[in-house]
């Protein structure tokens, strides 16, 4: 007799099914605030999606090396969890979904690595055409403050949803900041001088590394091109009348 047990519809009932844990977050039933924090706890996956999109469409070396740092940060977190072996504060029944260890918090470490790196990148690497203008400085501060605020919210969400203790989240933040600082220093001091050589390779033809602020560059060029096209269209329209 066949060992595979099937129901009358022909579906296999002997297979053990498990949910994908990457985006699985539990929150107290009926708690709107808890649901909002659960959504915020998915921020790392939004950031990872952004990294992949930027790498595919821009091939910027700073973005690629930033992403490599994110991966190294996650590896460090996994190693630390298995060295420290501190359990999570709440033992859930879904043991197959989560690592049993909670020290340090991977969400907290990820977000504070990202926030610290972005802080250094914004004020050291990112340059506008006129970096003394108050408006441009304001946007730098606003961007950095937003990264820090989101990191705080995501970190708190892990405590509120009882995935981690305060200590696990704080240590995660400290490790994230330390690794982010070290990685930015390596990129800015050691690797950046070699970027001009790398972008001279055939595979790097579309690299935008030498443009200090790609978003500002695109904004000014698109605005200039849009104005030029509008003037040409207006000129053609006037001639046809």
């Amino acid at each position: 007799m066949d060992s595979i047990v099937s129901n009358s519809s022909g579906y296999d009932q002997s297979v053990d099914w498990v949910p994908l844990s990457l985006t699985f977050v539990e929150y107290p039933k009926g708690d709107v605030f808890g649901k909002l924090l659960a959504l915020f706890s998915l921020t790392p996956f939004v950031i990872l999606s952004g990294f992949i999109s930027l790498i595919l469409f821009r091939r910027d070396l700073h973005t690629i090396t930033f992403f490599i740092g994110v991966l190294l940060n996650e590896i460090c977190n996994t190693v630390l969890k298995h060295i420290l072996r501190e359990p999570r504060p709440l033992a859930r029944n879904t043991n197959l979904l989560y690592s049993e260890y909670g020290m340090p918090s991977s969400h907290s470490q990820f977000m504070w690595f990202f926030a610290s790196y972005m802080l250094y990148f914004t004020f050291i690497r990112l340059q506008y055409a006129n970096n003394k203008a108050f408006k441009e400085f304001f946007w730098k501060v606003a961007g950095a403050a937003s990264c820090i605020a989101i990191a705080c919210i995501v970190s708190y969400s892990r405590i509120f949803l009882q995935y981690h203790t305060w200590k696990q989240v704080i240590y995660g933040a400290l490790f994230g900041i330390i690794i982010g600082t070290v990685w930015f220093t390596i990129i800015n001091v050691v690797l950046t001088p070699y970027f001009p050589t790398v972008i001279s390779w055939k595979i790097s033809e579309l690299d935008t590394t030498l443009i200090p602020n790609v978003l500002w560059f695109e904004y000014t060029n698109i605005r200039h091109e849009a104005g030029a096209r509008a003037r040409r269209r207006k000129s053609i329209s006037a001639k046809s009348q």
Side-chain angles (χ1 to χ4, degrees):
M1 182 177 178
D2 194 344
S3 60
I4 299 179
V5 180
S6 302
N7 62 13
S8 58
S9 301
Y11 293 104
D12 188 356
Q13 299 294 314
S14 65
V15 178
D16 291 329
W17 296 87
V18 295
L20 181 65
S21 62
L22 288 176
T23 57
F24 187 90
V25 185
E26 294 179 312
Y27 64 93
K29 184 177 181 179
D31 190 337
V32 177
F33 181 65
K35 185 176 183 178
L36 180 63
L37 289 179
L39 291 173
F40 265 103
S41 69
L42 298 177
T43 302
F45 303 104
V46 176
I47 293 174
L48 288 174
S49 300
F51 268 118
I52 294 172
S53 299
L54 287 173
I55 291 172
L56 289 176
F57 291 101
R58 295 198 183 281
R59 293 194 291 180
D60 177 73
L61 287 177
H62 282 283
T63 305
I64 294 172
T65 51
F66 190 177
F67 182 65
I68 292 173
V70 169
L71 298 180
L72 292 175
N73 181 61
E74 288 300 299
I75 293 173
C76 289
N77 178 265
T78 301
V79 172
L80 287 169
K81 278 185 175 179
H82 285 81
I83 291 175
L84 300 175
R85 295 175 176 269
E86 182 174 303
R88 295 177 183 271
L90 178 63
R92 286 175 160 86
N93 293 325
T94 50
N95 292 327
L96 294 176
L97 293 179
Y98 311 104
S99 166
E100 60 180 316
Y101 306 126
M103 170 65 85
S105 166
S106 57
H107 280 69
S108 177
Q109 186 170 324
F110 178 100
M111 290 305 303
W112 284 102
F113 172 90
F114 179 81
S116 61
Y117 193 100
M118 285 299 298
L119 185 67
Y120 298 131
F121 185 86
T122 300
F123 288 99
I124 297 176
R125 160 71 183 168
L126 198 60
Q127 299 295 329
Y128 291 86
N130 180 11
N131 57 14
K132 295 183 180 180
F134 173 79
K135 182 179 179 180
E136 295 165 355
F137 179 75
F138 169 80
W139 285 114
K140 284 186 175 183
V141 173
S146 298
C147 290
I148 294 173
I150 294 174
C152 289
I153 294 173
V154 173
S155 298
Y156 176 72
S157 73
R158 307 305 289 174
I159 299 168
F160 182 88
L161 299 174
Q162 299 184 41
Y163 283 99
H164 296 283
T165 63
W166 277 102
K167 185 175 74 170
Q168 292 171 353
V169 166
I170 290 173
Y171 273 94
L174 289 175
F175 282 123
I177 292 171
I178 292 171
I179 297 173
T181 301
V182 172
W183 187 247
F184 180 83
T185 303
I186 292 173
I187 298 303
N188 198 53
V189 176
V190 180
L191 298 182
T192 298
Y194 295 98
F195 284 179
T197 302
V198 176
I199 64 174
S200 66
W201 300 345
K202 185 69 175 178
I203 196 174
S204 307
E205 285 183 344
L206 299 179
D207 186 82
T208 57
T209 300
L210 295 181
I211 301 175
N213 188 340
V214 177
L215 293 178
W216 184 257
F217 175 83
E218 288 187 342
Y219 169 75
T220 54
N221 280 273
I222 290 174
R223 186 175 179 180
H224 178 269
E225 181 63 21
R229 288 173 180 259
R231 288 190 295 271
R232 285 198 298 268
R233 180 175 296 179
K234 185 177 180 179
S235 175
I236 294 172
S237 178
K239 290 179 180 179
S240 62
Q241 293 178 356

